[in-house]
């Protein structure tokens, strides 16, 4: 049992995909599908992914094969413009919560499974949920809530002045913003 560590030298062109295939967690380069790591879920205690400095990194967490966050994931973006994308066709999560109470950190919980992200400029969350909540920290004195594209696309954007941006699908139940 142990920690899966993916470092700056594992990135290749700048995009990695984390997914579940049966009982294995896969990490691959998104553009080439080259496998970086494949680990049995039962052997993992945590997953740590570190981005590159002076590069724009994108981590895609693909839920189409199931919930790949059984042990939680930590992403530390390097310098550059870093994005985490949550995607894949899964049945609706009961709740998704984004916690921005610590400056420079976004913690997203998908039905209690945590993704901790530092050095993140943009979170694109295309998962379906019944309820979604966002908790902002004391320094979030100015936020902008807007539509991503058209009013019919079912997506919104929450941007913090000088901080992270979260784009998300509208929940089917309720949205709560704790400011």
């Amino acid at each position: 049992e142990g920690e899966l560590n993916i470092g700056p030298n594992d990135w290749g062109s700048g995009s990695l995909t984390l997914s579940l295939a049966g009982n294995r967690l896969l990490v691959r380069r998104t553009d080439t599908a080259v496998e970086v790591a494949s680990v049995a879920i039962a052997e993992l205690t945590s997953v740590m992914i570190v981005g590159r400095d002076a590069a724009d990194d994108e981590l895609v967490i693909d839920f189409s094969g199931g919930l790949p966050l059984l042990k939680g994931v930590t992403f530390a973006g390097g310098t550059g413009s870093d994005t985490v994308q949550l995607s894949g066709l899964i049945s609706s999560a009961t709740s998704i919560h984004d916690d921005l109470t610590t400056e420079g950190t976004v913690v997203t919980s998908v039905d209690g499974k945590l993704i901790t992200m530092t050095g993140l400029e943009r979170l694109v969350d295309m998962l379906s949920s019944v309820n979604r909540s966002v908790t902002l920290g004391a320094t979030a004195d100015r936020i902008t809530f807007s539509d991503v594209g058209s009013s019919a696309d079912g997506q919104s954007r929450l941007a913090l002045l000088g901080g992270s941006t979260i784009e998300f699908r509208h929940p089917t139940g309720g949205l709560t913003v704790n400011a």
Side-chain angles (χ1 to χ4, degrees):
E1 293 190 13
E3 180 175 79
L4 173 61
N5 289 299
I6 304 296
N9 293 331
D10 295 314
W11 283 84
S13 68
S15 184
L16 291 177
T17 297
L18 179 74
S19 62
L20 193 61
N23 66 350
R24 300 192 71 76
L25 182 69
L26 302 178
V27 179
R28 60 184 164 78
R29 292 183 179 147
T30 305
D31 60 341
T32 63
V34 168
E35 193 172 284
V36 174
S38 175
V39 182
I41 289 287
E43 296 175 10
L44 284 175
T45 57
S46 62
V47 178
M48 175 67 167
I49 299 175
V50 178
R52 302 168 300 159
D53 283 333
D56 299 341
D57 298 320
E58 179 181 44
L59 174 64
V60 177
I61 302 177
D62 181 358
F63 288 77
S64 61
L67 187 66
L69 308 174
L70 300 176
K71 306 294 181 175
V73 174
T74 300
F75 171 74
T79 58
S81 182
D82 300 316
T83 300
V84 172
Q85 178 179 334
L86 309 180
S87 65
L89 300 173
I90 63 167
S91 59
S92 185
T94 302
S95 71
I96 297 177
H97 177 74
D98 298 305
D99 184 329
L100 291 91
T101 57
T102 303
E103 190 172 347
T105 302
V106 177
V107 179
T108 297
S109 170
V110 180
D111 286 340
K113 307 300 182 199
L114 299 180
I115 309 166
T116 303
M117 299 160 278
T118 60
L120 181 72
E121 283 69 39
R122 186 169 164 239
L123 172 63
V124 179
D125 181 351
M126 292 297 107
L127 301 178
S128 297
S129 67
V130 175
N131 296 301
R132 176 175 212 102
S133 60
V134 178
T135 301
L136 304 171
T139 60
D141 57 356
R142 186 166 173 199
I143 61 171
T144 303
F145 188 79
S146 62
D147 193 59
V148 171
S150 72
S151 60
D153 67 6
Q155 300 175 28
S156 291
R157 176 181 297 121
L158 181 71
L160 280 70
L161 179 65
S164 298
T165 297
I166 300 173
E167 297 176 8
F168 59 92
R169 291 178 70 178
H170 297 163
T172 59
L175 171 65
T176 303
V177 177
N178 303 301

